[in-house]
Amino acid sequence: MEETTVNSEDEISLIDLFAVLIRYRKFIVIFTLAVMVCSGVYLARPLLKAKSAPLKIESVQMKYTLRVENIEAAFVKQGSGFKDNASKTARNYFQNARLISRANKKFPSIEENTNLGESDYVALIESDVKAQKIYVPEAKPTDLPYEFDVILKVKKEKKEDAEKFFSALLEEVNEALFEVYRPQVDFVKNSTYAALDKILLSDSSIALSDSQKDSLKKLIEQEFQATLPVVQIADAVDVVDVVESVNKSSIIKKFIIVTFAAIFLSVFIAFALNAWANIKADQEAYGKLKAAWDAGK
């Protein structure tokens, strides 16, 4: 019976909680409104600045139209499948953070902070790719299925470096494609040589002189000649001025977050003030706290 009484006394009553909120309702409302007004004025500064000052062109959007062209003749003659795969692979490589980071370190354009470690720098470039500072738009049905666009957005003063950056990135992509497809070319070439030697050494009616054999091998070699680049710029660069606008939705989100934070903070302060008032009313508890405070000096 006594234990039940003690537990009931220790429980926090909801009525007591509501009573604290009601008692400090004016403080909660005034504190929240004050924070809302201050944060609203602070967050609205970009909007006020945009209205009072003319809009400035802060960045440029550069569009490159690329085409898969220099594929070994022997593969092209097999059909469009190889060229399709090369085009898809190239599209992916132009969004590969590791390749982009290599080119950007040579000519900083989409990211100026180049002092990070390798993994951190690649992670930073990945965030830039997600933010579409560089991206490949979705492919559209076209008469030229091996063409695709790459969009690059940079600061206006970085336009010249961006052109060098893209040339470096194009070189990185072509080298990566070459590494992927060169083994396939070598395999087919060696298989063709082996088949030719088998035919020439067999007891067939084919009789060729040494010069004819050499000529035939040279023709095969030409069919499998390694050519770079695989991807080339098909069209000139389109430069579109981009006016940096104020992100109103971002301002609204921040304002809502600050408002809710102010409400919770005001409630916390209200309970803290109420607790302090209760302690001061209890002379014994207040005396203990004051003695502890004095002892800590």
Side-chain angles (χ1 to χ4, degrees), residues 272-293:
L273 291 174
N274 183 71
W276 178 246
N278 290 338
I279 291 173
K280 289 186 70 176
D282 187 343
Q283 293 298 323
E284 183 179 352
Y286 181 75
K288 290 181 181 179
L289 291 178
K290 189 175 184 304
W293 177 265

Side-chain angles (χ1 to χ4, degrees), residues 109-128:
S109 300
I110 64 171
E111 186 58 60
E112 297 181 34
N113 185 1
T114 59
N115 297 321
L116 298 174
E118 182 65 24
S119 59
D120 291 335
Y121 189 68
V122 171
L124 184 61
I125 294 296
E126 284 179 349
S127 66
D128 289 331

Side-chain angles (χ1 to χ4, degrees), residues 19-259:
V20 174
L21 296 177
I22 293 171
R23 184 181 307 146
Y24 290 92
R25 63 187 181 278
K26 290 183 180 180
F27 167 79
I28 293 173
V29 172
I30 293 173
F31 182 89
T32 303
L33 289 176
V35 173
M36 288 174 64
V37 170
C38 292
S39 63
V41 171
Y42 179 80
L43 294 173
R45 287 185 308 160
L47 290 172
L48 298 174
K49 186 178 179 181
K51 287 183 179 181
S52 61
L55 294 175
K56 295 181 180 180
I57 297 171
E58 299 290 347
S59 59
V60 291
Q61 184 171 285
M62 309 168 72
K63 183 176 76 172
Y64 291 85
T65 299
L66 305 175
R67 182 183 298 136
V68 175
E69 289 185 343
N70 288 354
I71 301 294
E72 281 79 355
F75 276 98
V76 175
K77 290 178 181 178
Q78 293 178 14
S80 62
F82 176 80
K83 214 169 181 181
D84 282 336
N85 290 332
S87 180
K88 291 176 182 177
T89 304
R91 289 171 60 89
N92 291 332
Y93 280 168
F94 274 102
Q95 298 174 96
N96 184 288
R98 196 165 295 278
L99 296 180
I100 294 172
S101 65
R102 290 177 189 169
N104 196 74
K105 279 198 172 183
K106 296 176 184 176
F107 303 100
S109 300
I110 64 171
E111 186 58 60
E112 297 181 34
N113 185 1
T114 59
N115 297 321
L116 298 174
E118 182 65 24
S119 59
D120 291 335
Y121 189 68
V122 171
L124 184 61
I125 294 296
E126 284 179 349
S127 66
D128 289 331
V129 172
K130 290 179 181 178
Q132 293 193 336
K133 289 186 179 181
I134 180 170
Y135 70 100
V136 178
E138 291 294 329
K140 297 179 180 178
T142 175
D143 295 333
L144 300 170
Y146 313 125
E147 283 192 357
F148 60 94
D149 293 332
V150 177
I151 307 296
L152 179 63
K153 183 180 176 182
V154 296
K155 293 180 179 179
K156 190 176 182 181
E157 63 271 17
K158 285 287 183 179
K159 179 179 176 296
E160 187 175 341
D161 286 337
E163 292 174 354
K164 297 177 182 178
F165 155 77
F166 193 81
S167 296
L169 177 59
L170 183 61
E171 185 178 343
E172 291 283 350
V173 170
N174 277 318
E175 289 180 0
L177 287 169
F178 185 77
E179 291 296 323
V180 170
Y181 292 113
R182 182 72 260 165
Q184 298 181 34
V185 174
D186 289 339
F187 175 78
V188 176
K189 181 174 69 173
N190 293 333
S191 299
T192 305
Y193 279 142
L196 176 63
D197 291 337
K198 188 175 182 180
I199 292 172
L200 295 177
L201 293 174
S202 65
D203 296 331
S204 64
S205 58
I206 300 177
L208 298 175
S209 65
D210 291 340
S211 61
Q212 289 174 323
K213 292 178 182 179
D214 290 339
S215 297
L216 184 57
K217 288 184 177 182
K218 286 181 180 179
L219 288 174
I220 295 174
E221 184 69 31
Q222 290 175 0
E223 287 289 292
F224 292 96
Q225 184 65 40
T227 55
L228 279 177
V230 175
V231 181
Q232 295 181 351
I233 297 177
D235 290 335
V237 179
D238 273 335
V239 179
V240 181
D241 293 335
V242 179
V243 178
E244 294 295 333
S245 59
V246 179
N247 192 338
K248 295 181 180 179
S249 61
S250 176
I251 292 176
I252 294 173
K253 288 179 181 178
K254 290 179 181 178
F255 181 75
I256 292 173
I257 292 173
V258 171
T259 300

